[in-house]
Amino acid sequence: MMRRVRPARAPSRVSATVFALALACATAVAQAAPVEYRIDPGHTDVIAQWNHLGFSNPTAHFGQVDGTIVYDADKVAASSVQVTLPLSGLNSHVARFDAHLRNADFFDADVFPVATFRSTAVEDLGEDRLKVTGALTIKDITRTVVLDAVLDKAAPHPRNNRPTIGFDATANLLRSDFGLGLGAPAVSDEVQLRITTEAQAAAAD
């Protein structure tokens, strides 16, 4: 006597719906949303370096940096950075020179107390390298500056488990483009910027 073989049951609409929801959830997890990080001024430094009469290459540091970094690992072009540099944090380790940098010959810090940078485009160059194009404003003069950046690390911070990110970046600019050209070209017009920064996501509610 032959046994009858029952045909396979078609998946129910309920099962199909559950599967679709599970797939959507898995996709959402795989494509993480952009994260906004707050710059940590205690672990951020912007260093300007120039040549002095061919004899030396002094530096000045811009501390007390404030700003945010939005980073999207899945879509790097959606990332952005916004930074404020208070000139009160400028430090060349020479007090008399710091006073000169803040007066009207250079930054005129009483009138223009901060410099700002706001990105306009972020390009993924591969291998954790980024090209960050943005608008740098000093003394109400805005010029386009390109940062060559490297993602140092993105991971939970070992002290508080918050998402944390770190970058190093470099850029070259002409100080005369920002009304800071006193002494050029004997003192080099070109200035190299070196930036290192660490930023943390806000604490979860």
Side-chain angles (χ1 to χ4, degrees), residues 101-118:
L101 286 175
R102 292 191 183 99
N103 76 20
D105 285 345
F106 289 103
F107 287 100
D108 202 1
D110 287 340
V111 179
F112 308 102
V114 300
T116 62
F117 178 82
R118 183 188 298 270

Side-chain angles (χ1 to χ4, degrees), residues 133-154:
T133 303
L136 176 63
T137 300
I138 300 173
K139 296 173 69 173
D140 276 355
I141 301 169
T142 301
R143 297 285 185 267
T144 297
V145 171
V146 177
L147 303 177
D148 295 316
V150 176
L151 172 62
D152 296 325
K153 186 176 182 179

Side-chain angles (χ1 to χ4, degrees), residues 55-105:
F55 294 112
S56 61
N57 296 283
T59 60
H61 298 247
F62 295 81
Q64 301 175 17
V65 180
D66 182 47
T68 57
I69 297 170
V70 175
Y71 184 68
D72 188 335
D74 294 320
K75 188 179 179 183
V76 173
S79 304
S80 63
V81 58
Q82 182 175 338
V83 174
T84 298
L85 301 172
L87 296 180
S88 57
L90 189 156
N91 182 11
S92 69
H93 304 294
V94 180
R96 185 174 64 178
F97 183 49
D98 290 347
H100 191 193
L101 286 175
R102 292 191 183 99
N103 76 20
D105 285 345

Side-chain angles (χ1 to χ4, degrees), residues 5-65:
V5 178
R6 295 183 179 180
R9 295 179 60 187
S12 68
R13 290 185 179 180
V14 173
S15 298
T17 301
V18 171
F19 176 76
L21 288 173
L23 181 61
C25 290
T27 302
V29 171
Q31 298 177 346
V35 179
E36 180 174 301
Y37 301 86
R38 191 80 191 178
I39 289 175
D40 176 1
H43 295 93
T44 297
D45 197 7
V46 178
I47 305 167
Q49 185 167 36
W50 61 95
N51 181 267
H52 182 256
L53 305 174
F55 294 112
S56 61
N57 296 283
T59 60
H61 298 247
F62 295 81
Q64 301 175 17
V65 180

Side-chain angles (χ1 to χ4, degrees), residues 81 117 119 121 123 125 130-134 145-150 168-172 193 195:
V81 58
F117 178 82
S119 66
E123 182 180 349
L125 303 181
L130 309 172
K131 176 182 176 182
V132 182
T133 303
V145 171
V146 177
L147 303 177
D148 295 316
V150 176
D168 273 41
T170 60
N172 292 301
L193 296 181
I195 302 162

